[in-house]
Amino acid sequence: QSLNTISVEVLLDAGISNFINIAKNLGISADLPEYPSLALGVASVSLKEMVEAYATIVNDGRPVETRYLVEIADSDGKVLEKFNYTPADESVVSAENCRAVINMMQAVISDGTGTGIRTRFGIEGDFAGKTGTTQENSDGWFIGLTPNLVTGCWVGADDPRVHFRTITYGQGAFMALPIVGGFFSKAYSNPKFSNLKNSVFAPPEPELYAMLNTPQYKEILDIEKREWNLAD
């Protein structure tokens, strides 16, 4: 629901130093200031590192390295050179926590700020995401996650003084999400990649999933339930 106060509360409860350590484990090399506003996007992190960090979360906490060049082929499709790398085997963060975070980000697509992925672009299959709007609408973000493909988009200018005047146009859901949505729409319409939409995220453990699957305003519901019991 894009309630920034909740993000700050979680950061403070978890501990800012713990948060920074996890970010470093996920591959973030940027300077992360030790202030509560860190939860709101005050640090300057590259799109490459953001996508790698989210890809690591999708990969159950095993680091994923961006490879710009995969192979070289001639005009007949014959592969002349292939560039392989050995993926990491060990997780740098809890796999179970990664699955919990993905489950929460799936709600961003079903009920939150990323619903345009479904309603506007008609993207099917498992999809999670995170919108981002920072620094007086000068930075708009959207990271789209599927079980096999993570795609990120940043919209902004080199000079942060260049920004949208209103949140209507300056939010990541308006300026960054459509680029990612259009990419997935085109990819899924290509027979070569359409199979990607059939892959599914690994769910959290049943106990954790039950905790994540609580209704909104749970405290109010519990109060009402007690009142009904008293009335009975």
Side-chain angles (χ1 to χ4, degrees):
Q1 301 300 318
S2 196
L3 301 176
N4 290 337
T5 54
I6 305 300
S7 299
V8 175
E9 287 180 10
V10 171
L11 173 64
L12 294 177
D13 285 347
I16 297 178
S17 59
N18 292 331
F19 170 86
I20 291 175
N21 288 336
I22 289 176
K24 298 297 184 182
N25 288 339
L26 291 172
I28 302 298
S29 63
D31 181 39
L32 302 176
E34 295 187 40
Y35 297 103
S37 55
L38 179 61
L40 306 180
V42 296
S44 295
V45 182
S46 71
L47 178 61
K48 172 182 176 290
E49 288 192 353
M50 288 293 287
V51 171
E52 286 180 338
Y54 277 96
T56 298
I57 293 173
V58 174
N59 199 34
D60 274 350
R62 296 185 298 272
V64 175
E65 180 184 344
T66 300
R67 309 292 291 186
Y68 291 106
L69 190 58
V70 178
E71 64 182 30
I72 300 174
D74 61 20
S75 57
D76 296 323
K78 180 183 177 181
V79 176
L80 305 177
E81 189 73 38
K82 196 162 187 172
F83 304 92
N84 296 316
Y85 83 102
T86 303
D89 290 328
E90 296 185 6
S91 297
V92 295
V93 291
S94 163
E96 194 58 32
N97 286 346
C98 288
R99 295 180 184 186
V101 170
I102 291 172
N103 183 270
M104 288 187 280
M105 289 193 290
Q106 285 181 279
V108 173
I109 304 301
S110 59
D111 304 304
T113 54
T115 54
I117 288 292
R118 304 289 196 202
T119 60
R120 180 174 176 183
F121 294 96
I123 305 299
E124 300 176 355
D126 276 15
F127 204 105
K130 182 68 184 76
T131 57
T133 308
T134 61
Q135 321 305 5
E136 294 185 312
N137 307 317
S138 61
D139 294 288
W141 291 81
F142 184 75
I143 309 292
L145 304 90
T146 68
N148 298 111
L149 184 63
V150 175
T151 303
C153 176
W154 169 77
V155 177
D158 290 336
D159 190 334
R161 290 175 296 181
V162 179
H163 58 86
F164 288 86
R165 291 187 175 90
T166 67
I167 191 67
T168 300
Y169 302 110
Q171 59 182 294
F174 184 88
M175 56 170 161
L177 182 150
I179 297 173
V180 175
F183 168 78
F184 272 97
S185 179
K186 190 162 187 177
Y188 282 1
S189 65
N190 186 326
K192 184 178 179 180
F193 305 110
S194 59
N195 234 7
L196 290 175
K197 63 186 174 185
N198 298 324
S199 56
V200 297
F201 288 117
E205 292 296 327
E207 296 82 3
L208 182 56
Y209 183 77
M211 292 173 62
L212 293 167
N213 198 29
T214 56
Q216 291 183 344
Y217 313 113
K218 182 175 184 297
E219 292 181 11
I220 296 177
L221 291 174
D222 286 348
I223 292 172
E224 291 177 348
K225 184 177 180 179
R226 287 196 295 271
E227 289 175 348
W228 293 336
N229 291 335
L230 289 174
D232 291 341

